[in-house]
Amino acid sequence: MTTITFPQGKQFDLVAIGRLCIDLNANEINRPMEETMTFTKYVGGSPANIAIGLANLGLNISFIGKIANDQMGNFIRNYLAQKNIDTSNIVIDKTNAVTGLTFTEIKSPSDCSILMYRNNVADLLLHPVEVQEGLIANSKALLISGTALASSPSREAVFLALDYAVKHGIRIIFDLDYRPYTWRDEAETAVYYNLAAEKCDIIIGTREEFNMMEKVLHVQLDDEQTASKWFTYKAQLVVIKHGGDGSIAYAKDGSRTKSGVFRTSVLKSFGAGDSYASAFIYKLMQGETVDVAMKYGSASASIVIAKHSCSDAMPTLDELEQKVKNGTYET
Ligand SMILES: Nc1ncnc2c1ncn2[C@@H]1O[C@H](COP(=O)(O)OP(=O)(O)OP(=O)(O)O)[C@@H](O)[C@H]1O
Ligand SMILES: O=C(O)C[C@@H](O)[C@H](O)C(=O)CO
């Protein structure tokens, strides 16, 4: 039964780095974006959602990022502070950059898409000198997300954060979070994803995201081959997600764990990955085995995809325990 160890005696359980954005989720569901007239505003951005999920479950979380110097930026910072997330390394942009917006389209539970407005966004302007080494040294784990690698200077900020994490011996978790919108082309994307993944202990992504990383090398790997590749670098655990078919975790010790899913009444599909990651990481950090962590990740995802928001819908520990106890886990 595989477990992952984390350094102890640190101020923060986890520090996340990356984008802090706004989700505008369609209120009128089951219709295309063209016919959607009203949206509800939530804090969004994959690493923000994961951080919020972890904070809801009771972990002590910090965030490294950059926000716009406007009401949207204030909204994001206030929301995180209200969730007891440390905002001391959230830098305010001084260049009139804007907050990234994600409009969501909910045509049906299985047909959802997102439309991102990401020109001149503040999150991608985080500079390496703005990353506080002390914060990383004082955390048990660093969470990075692939989208922050899309352009400079955020790309270098993430690579410096990775170097600090390696220097201080803290665990590094990489949620691949591939969003094509901010990238120039797939080859560039894959190069930077592969460089970052080499430094990470836990890599979480969908089969499609790993395919993108492998395509540039002209190889097509199956799940086991993908995991084996990363074990030749620093990875201890590679989780490959397959949507409604669950996920598979491969550990460097040779174990392979397949998760089930909690069937639910799906409202929208997005947010599944972020909620899965937050409960999965939470349980790993509690010293639970990978199979238990995957079960809680699946439970968390099933709660969030049944609700309208991603960040606001992240479960409390009590809700999560109830789902695990009373839900139907199909393996
Ligand atoms: N239809 C579903 N019913 C129940 N659980 C689901 C469903 N879809 C996804 N999940 C759960 O969520 C987990 C992650 O889903 P998925 O593989 O779709 O991640 P993702 O593509 O990163 O999500 P996102 O759409 O948020 O980017 C799955 O492993 C599963 O546990
Ligand atoms: O990651 C984003 O920027 C958008 C998310 O906040 C969004 O809610 C989503 O797609 C979650 O998977």
Side-chain angles (χ1 to χ4, degrees), residues 245-300:
D245 294 328
S247 52
I248 308 177
Y250 294 86
K252 196 173 183 172
D253 63 16
S255 70
R256 175 187 182 278
T257 313
K258 189 168 180 341
S259 84
V261 295
F262 284 87
R263 288 292 160 214
T264 189
S265 166
V266 182
L267 172 73
K268 46 96 174 109
S269 60
F270 51 87
D274 298 341
S275 44
Y276 176 93
S278 60
F280 176 74
I281 294 168
Y282 171 76
K283 278 289 165 186
L284 283 186
M285 294 197 82
Q286 300 294 302
E288 297 282 2
T289 56
V290 169
D291 62 324
V292 170
M294 292 173 95
K295 187 171 187 182
Y296 276 77
S298 307
S300 178

Side-chain angles (χ1 to χ4, degrees), residues 28-44:
E28 298 96 26
I29 59 169
N30 300 325
R31 66 175 74 169
M33 181 78 75
E34 290 84 344
E35 293 165 26
T36 306
M37 302 309 287
T38 66
F39 300 83
T40 299
K41 180 178 87 175
Y42 303 102
V43 170

